[in-house]
Amino acid sequence: AVLGVADVLAATAGSALVPAAVAREHRPRVNAWTVGAETVGQEFAGPFVGGLLLAAGTGLALGAIGVTYAAAALLLVLLAGRFRPAAPAPGTPAVPVNTRIAEGLRLLWRDPVLRTLSLTAAALNAVWGAWLALMPLHAHQAMGLGPGEYGFLLSGLGIGGLVGAATVTWVNRLLGPRRAMLADLLGTCAMTALPALTTSLWAVAAGAFLGGMGGTLWAVNSRTLTQHKVPDALLGRYTAASRLLCYGALPIGTAAAGLLAELLGTRTVFAVISVLALTTVIPFLRRVKAADLTGTSAP
């Protein structure tokens, strides 16, 4: 529980740190490197090294985790500087923490672009939660996959994420950030629709690849958009409010998918969540403009 709370604090602080440490024109590249590092660590290096360590012994695996966290803490010592918003003027009354939280929520809800961005991400997270919950059962019962084939299917997510992190700068130059984020919405539709349409391993793995790649394109560009639009002093509060909404949708999507699968079957639920993913396209296109993603829109 303590580690889970600390992870949220670290992620929120990390996203708020980037604008203070990095000039505006370099933020897309820095966000791409950050998301790429997260993808490599979470999807590839972490599971692979963790599996090897666990095979060598549980004590060794747990001890290595402690050493890794200690090394990460030491690396932060190298981060020189005090990256804080401007201090309030002398004599300014202290603001209660609940008021600060409310400021982040109001900012999220009153700004149409930020509200659309957060609600879209929440819908996509619900879809991803449903996909991840249903895929093991669907792969075993409907597709007849063994452990090795299922591992190949899931690797499509990680490979797609890594390719997205490596090519996001090129994709943004080719399509523009807005169309790159739209590609994520369409990729998520493909990822969820293909299991409803076919039992082909290659087709479903290709959909997972598109979903993983699109997820990285969305993550990089949505972080950059947020850093452009939200004042530095409110960035941590906004990020916390947005994460509450977005990550709160994950267990909702998971639970709803399980219930519907009991009643309708997994293929029908995949079709339903693909329609849900598709419904995010029109609000996104109506509210999020290219100027918002380049930081040229009026504040």
Side-chain angles (χ1 to χ4, degrees):
V2 172
L3 182 60
V5 172
D7 181 66
V8 173
L9 295 174
T12 304
S15 63
L17 179 71
V18 172
V22 180
R24 176 185 290 265
E25 63 272 17
H26 299 309
R27 291 174 193 171
R29 180 169 58 88
V30 170
N31 288 327
W33 277 93
T34 302
V35 173
E38 292 171 355
T39 301
V40 170
Q42 295 173 6
E43 303 293 340
F44 293 100
F48 176 72
V49 176
L52 293 178
L53 289 172
L54 191 61
T58 306
L60 180 61
L62 293 174
I65 292 172
V67 171
T68 302
Y69 273 107
L74 290 174
L75 281 174
L76 291 177
V77 177
L78 302 178
L79 188 65
R82 293 173 60 85
F83 303 100
R84 293 184 177 182
T92 303
V95 180
V97 65
N98 289 340
T99 302
R100 295 179 180 273
I101 293 173
E103 287 176 348
L105 291 170
R106 281 196 299 268
L107 175 64
L108 184 155
W109 197 252
R110 290 177 178 176
D111 188 295
V113 174
L114 297 177
R115 182 175 66 245
T116 301
L117 198 71
S118 296
L119 291 176
T120 301
L124 294 178
N125 276 359
V127 167
W128 274 76
W131 190 92
L132 291 169
L134 294 181
M135 187 49 67
L137 179 65
H138 183 76
H140 176 65
Q141 292 187 348
M143 300 177 66
L145 302 185
E149 294 167 314
Y150 181 65
F152 171 78
L153 189 160
L154 282 188
S155 69
L157 286 176
I159 295 172
L162 192 58
V163 170
T167 62
V168 62
T169 303
W170 176 80
V171 172
N172 282 348
R173 282 201 299 264
L174 179 67
L175 302 178
R178 183 170 179 257
R179 291 178 180 174
M181 295 180 76
L182 176 63
D184 171 49
L185 304 183
L186 300 178
T188 302
C189 291
M191 181 183 76
T192 52
L194 283 170
L197 299 174
T198 180
T199 57
S200 166
L201 170 61
W202 286 97
V204 176
F209 173 86
L210 292 175
M213 182 175 180
T216 300
L217 296 178
W218 178 278
V220 172
N221 285 303
S222 64
R223 290 186 189 187
T224 304
L225 185 153
T226 298
Q227 292 160 3
H228 286 336
K229 286 188 68 67
V230 179
D232 289 355
L234 289 174
L235 191 54
R237 275 165 274 178
Y238 166 79
T239 302
S242 180
R243 283 173 64 92
L244 176 64
L245 183 64
C246 298
Y247 284 84
L250 275 171
I252 294 174
T254 301
L259 178 61
L260 289 175
E262 287 283 346
L263 301 174
L264 306 175
T266 56
R267 296 188 76 158
T268 301
V269 179
F270 280 122
V272 170
I273 62 175
S274 67
V275 172
L276 174 60
L278 190 60
T279 60
T280 63
V281 172
I282 293 178
F284 173 80
L285 291 177
R286 287 184 60 186
R287 292 293 187 183
V288 181
K289 305 302 181 183
D292 296 314
L293 288 152
T294 57
T296 58
S297 60

